[in-house]
Coordinates of all heavy atoms in Angstrom, one line a residue:
L1479 N -5.8 -9.5 -13.1 CA -4.8 -10.6 -13.0 C -5.4 -11.9 -13.3 O -4.9 -12.6 -14.1 CB -4.2 -10.5 -11.5 CG -3.1 -11.4 -11.2 CD1 -1.8 -11.1 -12.0 CD2 -2.7 -11.3 -9.7
R1480 N -6.5 -12.2 -12.7 CA -7.2 -13.4 -12.9 C -7.6 -13.6 -14.4 O -7.4 -14.7 -15.0 CB -8.4 -13.7 -12.0 CG -9.1 -15.0 -12.2 CD -9.8 -15.3 -10.9 NE -10.5 -16.6 -11.1 CZ -9.9 -17.8 -11.0 NH1 -8.7 -17.9 -10.9 NH2 -10.7 -18.9 -11.1
R1481 N -8.1 -12.6 -14.9 CA -8.7 -12.6 -16.3 C -7.4 -12.9 -17.3 O -7.6 -13.7 -18.2 CB -9.4 -11.3 -16.7 CG -10.1 -11.3 -18.0 CD -11.0 -10.1 -18.2 NE -10.4 -8.8 -17.9 CZ -10.6 -8.0 -16.9 NH1 -11.5 -8.4 -16.0 NH2 -10.0 -6.8 -16.7
T1482 N -6.4 -12.2 -17.0 CA -5.2 -12.4 -17.9 C -4.6 -13.8 -17.8 O -4.2 -14.4 -18.8 CB -4.1 -11.3 -17.5 OG1 -4.7 -10.0 -17.6 CG2 -2.9 -11.5 -18.5
Y1483 N -4.6 -14.3 -16.5 CA -4.2 -15.7 -16.3 C -5.0 -16.7 -17.1 O -4.5 -17.5 -17.8 CB -4.2 -16.0 -14.9 CG -4.2 -17.4 -14.5 CD1 -2.9 -18.2 -14.6 CD2 -5.3 -18.2 -14.1 CE1 -2.9 -19.5 -14.4 CE2 -5.2 -19.6 -13.9 CZ -4.0 -20.2 -14.0 OH -3.9 -21.5 -13.8
L1484 N -6.3 -16.4 -17.1 CA -7.2 -17.4 -17.8 C -7.0 -17.3 -19.3 O -7.1 -18.3 -20.0 CB -8.6 -17.2 -17.4 CG -9.0 -17.5 -15.9 CD1 -10.4 -17.0 -15.6 CD2 -8.9 -18.9 -15.6
E1485 N -6.9 -16.1 -19.7 CA -6.6 -15.9 -21.2 C -5.3 -16.6 -21.6 O -5.2 -17.2 -22.6 CB -6.5 -14.4 -21.5 CG -7.8 -13.7 -21.5 CD -7.6 -12.2 -21.6 OE1 -6.5 -11.7 -21.8 OE2 -8.7 -11.4 -21.5
R1486 N -4.2 -16.4 -20.8 CA -2.9 -17.1 -21.1 C -3.1 -18.5 -21.0 O -2.4 -19.2 -21.8 CB -1.9 -16.5 -20.2 CG -1.6 -15.1 -20.2 CD -0.8 -14.6 -21.4 NE -0.2 -13.3 -21.4 CZ -0.9 -12.2 -21.6 NH1 -2.2 -12.2 -21.9 NH2 -0.3 -11.0 -21.5
S1487 N -3.9 -19.0 -20.0 CA -4.1 -20.5 -19.9 C -4.7 -21.0 -21.2 O -4.3 -22.1 -21.7 CB -5.0 -20.7 -18.7 OG -4.4 -20.4 -17.5
R1488 N -5.7 -20.4 -21.7 CA -6.3 -20.9 -23.0 C -5.3 -20.8 -24.1 O -5.2 -21.6 -25.0 CB -7.6 -20.0 -23.4 CG -8.8 -20.4 -22.5 CD -10.0 -19.7 -22.9 NE -10.0 -18.3 -22.8 CZ -10.3 -17.7 -21.6 NH1 -10.6 -18.3 -20.5 NH2 -10.3 -16.4 -21.5
Q1489 N -4.5 -19.7 -24.2 CA -3.6 -19.5 -25.2 C -2.5 -20.5 -25.2 O -2.0 -20.9 -26.3 CB -3.0 -18.1 -25.1 CG -2.0 -17.7 -26.2 CD -1.5 -16.2 -26.0 OE1 -1.9 -15.5 -25.0 NE2 -0.6 -15.8 -26.8
Y1490 N -2.0 -20.9 -24.0 CA -0.7 -21.6 -24.0 C -0.9 -23.1 -23.5 O 0.0 -23.9 -23.5 CB 0.3 -21.0 -23.0 CG 0.8 -19.6 -23.5 CD1 0.6 -18.6 -22.6 CD2 1.3 -19.5 -24.7 CE1 1.0 -17.3 -23.0 CE2 1.7 -18.2 -25.2 CZ 1.6 -17.0 -24.2 OH 2.0 -15.9 -24.7
H1491 N -2.1 -23.5 -23.0 CA -2.3 -24.9 -22.6 C -1.8 -25.9 -23.6 O -2.3 -25.8 -24.8 CB -3.7 -25.1 -22.1 CG -3.9 -26.2 -21.2 ND1 -3.9 -27.5 -21.7 CD2 -3.9 -26.4 -19.8 CE1 -4.0 -28.4 -20.7 NE2 -4.0 -27.7 -19.6
P1492 N -1.0 -26.8 -23.2 CA -0.5 -27.8 -24.2 C -1.6 -28.6 -24.9 O -1.4 -29.1 -26.0 CB 0.3 -28.7 -23.3 CG 0.7 -27.9 -22.2 CD -0.4 -27.0 -21.9
D1493 N -2.7 -28.8 -24.3 CA -3.8 -29.6 -24.9 C -4.4 -28.9 -26.1 O -4.9 -29.6 -27.0 CB -5.0 -29.8 -23.9 CG -4.7 -30.8 -22.9 OD1 -3.6 -31.4 -22.9 OD2 -5.4 -30.9 -21.8
F1494 N -4.2 -27.6 -26.3 CA -4.7 -26.9 -27.5 C -3.6 -26.9 -28.6 O -3.8 -26.3 -29.6 CB -5.1 -25.4 -27.1 CG -6.1 -25.4 -26.1 CD1 -6.0 -24.7 -24.9 CD2 -7.4 -25.9 -26.4 CE1 -7.1 -24.5 -24.0 CE2 -8.4 -25.9 -25.5 CZ -8.3 -25.1 -24.3
H1495 N -2.5 -27.6 -28.4 CA -1.4 -27.5 -29.3 C -0.9 -28.9 -29.6 O 0.2 -29.2 -30.0 CB -0.2 -26.7 -28.8 CG -0.6 -25.3 -28.6 ND1 -0.7 -24.4 -29.6 CD2 -1.1 -24.6 -27.4 CE1 -1.1 -23.2 -29.0 NE2 -1.3 -23.4 -27.7
T1496 N -1.8 -29.9 -29.5 CA -1.4 -31.3 -29.7 C -1.0 -31.6 -31.2 O -0.3 -32.5 -31.5 CB -2.5 -32.3 -29.3 OG1 -3.7 -31.9 -30.0 CG2 -2.8 -32.2 -27.8
L1497 N -1.5 -30.8 -32.1 CA -1.2 -31.0 -33.5 C 0.0 -30.2 -34.0 O 0.5 -30.3 -35.1 CB -2.4 -30.6 -34.4 CG -3.7 -31.4 -34.2 CD1 -4.8 -30.9 -35.0 CD2 -3.4 -32.9 -34.3
S1498 N 0.6 -29.4 -33.1 CA 1.7 -28.7 -33.4 C 3.0 -29.6 -33.4 O 2.9 -30.7 -32.8 CB 1.9 -27.5 -32.4 OG 0.8 -26.7 -32.4
D1499 N 4.1 -29.1 -34.0 CA 5.3 -29.9 -33.9 C 5.9 -29.9 -32.5 O 5.5 -29.1 -31.7 CB 6.3 -29.4 -35.0 CG 6.8 -28.0 -34.6 OD1 6.9 -27.6 -33.5 OD2 7.2 -27.3 -35.7
E1500 N 6.8 -30.7 -32.3 CA 7.4 -30.9 -30.9 C 8.0 -29.7 -30.3 O 7.9 -29.4 -29.1 CB 8.5 -32.1 -30.9 CG 7.9 -33.4 -31.0 CD 8.9 -34.5 -31.0 OE1 10.0 -34.2 -30.3 OE2 8.7 -35.6 -31.4
T1501 N 8.6 -28.9 -31.1 CA 9.2 -27.7 -30.7 C 8.2 -26.7 -30.2 O 8.3 -26.1 -29.1 CB 10.0 -27.0 -31.8 OG1 11.0 -27.9 -32.4 CG2 10.7 -25.7 -31.4
E1502 N 7.1 -26.6 -31.0 CA 6.0 -25.7 -30.6 C 5.3 -26.2 -29.3 O 5.0 -25.4 -28.4 CB 5.0 -25.5 -31.7 CG 3.9 -24.6 -31.4 CD 4.4 -23.0 -31.2 OE1 5.5 -22.8 -31.5 OE2 3.5 -22.3 -30.8
Q1503 N 5.1 -27.5 -29.3 CA 4.5 -28.1 -28.0 C 5.4 -27.9 -26.8 O 4.8 -27.5 -25.8 CB 4.3 -29.6 -28.2 CG 3.2 -30.0 -29.2 CD 3.1 -31.5 -29.3 OE1 3.8 -32.3 -28.6 NE2 2.2 -31.9 -30.2
A1504 N 6.7 -28.0 -27.0 CA 7.6 -27.7 -25.8 C 7.5 -26.2 -25.4 O 7.5 -25.9 -24.2 CB 9.0 -28.1 -26.3
R1505 N 7.5 -25.3 -26.4 CA 7.4 -23.9 -26.2 C 6.0 -23.6 -25.4 O 6.0 -22.8 -24.4 CB 7.5 -23.1 -27.5 CG 7.6 -21.6 -27.1 CD 7.8 -20.9 -28.5 NE 6.7 -20.5 -29.2 CZ 5.8 -19.6 -28.8 NH1 6.0 -18.8 -27.8 NH2 4.6 -19.4 -29.5
M1506 N 5.0 -24.2 -25.8 CA 3.7 -24.0 -25.2 C 3.7 -24.5 -23.7 O 3.1 -23.9 -22.8 CB 2.5 -24.6 -26.0 CG 2.2 -23.9 -27.3 SD 1.7 -22.2 -27.0 CE 3.2 -21.4 -27.8
L1507 N 4.3 -25.7 -23.5 CA 4.4 -26.2 -22.2 C 5.2 -25.1 -21.3 O 4.9 -24.9 -20.2 CB 5.1 -27.6 -22.2 CG 5.3 -28.2 -20.8 CD1 3.9 -28.4 -20.1 CD2 5.9 -29.6 -21.1
E1508 N 6.3 -24.6 -21.9 CA 7.1 -23.7 -21.1 C 6.3 -22.5 -20.8 O 6.4 -21.9 -19.7 CB 8.3 -23.4 -22.0 CG 9.3 -22.5 -21.2 CD 10.5 -22.2 -22.1 OE1 11.2 -23.1 -22.7 OE2 10.8 -21.0 -22.3

Side-chain angles (χ1 to χ4, degrees):
L1479 185 64
R1480 181 158 181 73
R1481 192 170 50 250
T1482 304
Y1483 165 72
L1484 293 173
E1485 288 170 4
R1486 299 285 193 277
S1487 292
R1488 284 187 294 277
Q1489 181 180 359
Y1490 298 124
H1491 197 283
D1493 288 350
F1494 298 123
H1495 300 278
T1496 56
L1497 299 177
S1498 300
D1499 64 32
E1500 285 184 27
T1501 304
E1502 184 65 9
Q1503 286 180 9
R1505 191 175 82 77
M1506 288 301 112
L1507 180 59
E1508 185 178 307

